[in-house]
Amino acid sequence: MDWASPWMIGQLIAILVMAVALGMDALSLGIGIGMRGIRKLYMLKLSVLIALFHMAMPLMGMITGGYVGYLLGGVATKVGGILLVLLGAHMMYNSFKGENTRMMNHQSMWGMIVFALSVSIDSFSVGVSLGMFAGDMVLTVVLFGAVGGLMSIAGLMLGSKVGHWIGEYGEAMGGVILLAFGVNFLF
C-alpha cells in the first residue's frame, strides 16, 4: 500500500476531519468540567480514558458496519451517509437545545467512565458508517483515539484557564462536519 498515493492522503484527511468533529464533544464538555477546577493528574486520567473509548467505540462500530455492509452490498454507502447525516443533525440539535443538565461527579471512576462513554458514543455510529466503506480500520481507530484524547485534555486545560466561550458551539461544529460528510456520501 502506497501511503503517498492521492487516495491514501484523501482517506487520511477525511478520517482526521471526522476525528476532530467527534472530538468536539470531548473538547466542549472538557471545557465545562475544567472550569470547575480540577487537578492535572485527573485531567490526564480522564483524557486517557476518553482516548481508549474513542478507539473502542469506532472499532466496535466498524466491525458491525463491515458486517452490515456485507449484507447490504451497494446500498451500504447510502445507509452510511444517512447515518452520518442523522448523527450530525442530532449533535447540532443537542448543542442548541439549551437544557441545563445536572452534572455528576466526574472525578469518581464511575463518573469518568460515564463521561468518556458519553463523549465517545457517537464514534460508534460513525464507525458503523465507516465499516460499510471498508476503510483502513487501524488508521481510523488510532486517529480517533489520539484526537479524542488530545481534544479532551485541551478542553480540560482550556476550561481551567478560560471561561465559557466555546461551550455548545463545539458540538454544533462537529455536527456540521458529520452532516457534510453524510451528504457527500449520499451524492
Side-chain angles (χ1 to χ4, degrees):
M1 188 176 334
D2 181 21
W3 283 95
S5 73
W7 185 83
M8 284 303 295
I9 292 171
Q11 182 181 19
L12 177 66
I13 291 170
I15 292 170
L16 191 57
V17 169
M18 280 190 230
V20 168
L22 292 171
M24 287 296 192
D25 273 355
L27 177 76
S28 60
L29 292 175
I31 289 171
I33 290 174
M35 287 180 358
R36 296 175 169 180
I38 59 174
R39 296 187 350 228
K40 287 186 170 84
L41 180 61
Y42 171 72
M43 285 182 193
L44 182 63
K45 284 180 185 178
L46 185 58
S47 294
V48 167
L49 192 60
I50 288 170
L52 291 173
F53 270 83
H54 264 76
M55 292 171 70
M57 297 305 284
L59 179 61
M60 290 187 296
M62 289 176 83
I63 291 168
T64 304
Y67 180 68
V68 170
Y70 172 75
L71 292 176
L72 295 178
V75 180
T77 303
K78 300 293 182 199
V79 171
I82 290 169
L83 284 174
L84 287 176
V85 166
L86 292 174
L87 180 62
H90 181 67
M91 283 176 68
M92 290 186 318
Y93 171 75
N94 281 341
S95 71
F96 292 116
K97 107 177 140 171
E99 292 179 8
N100 289 331
T101 57
R102 193 175 72 104
M103 299 292 277
M104 69 180 334
N105 179 11
H106 295 292
Q107 294 189 13
S108 69
M109 182 51 103
W110 178 248
M112 288 195 310
I113 289 172
V114 169
F115 179 71
L117 180 63
S118 72
V119 299
S120 303
I121 196 75
D122 49 357
S123 297
F124 177 82
S125 302
V126 172
V128 170
S129 297
L130 292 175
M132 291 183 202
F133 306 128
D136 189 335
M137 191 178 297
V138 173
L139 177 68
T140 301
V141 168
V142 169
L143 278 177
F144 277 23
V147 170
L150 289 173
M151 290 184 79
S152 67
I153 202 159
L156 291 165
M157 293 174 77
L158 189 62
S160 69
K161 300 274 186 244
V162 186
H164 202 72
W165 60 274
I166 193 170
E168 71 266 1
Y169 298 112
E171 187 175 0
M173 289 186 307
V176 167
I177 292 170
L178 291 180
L179 188 96
F181 271 104
V183 169
N184 184 44
F185 288 139
L186 288 173
F187 299 106

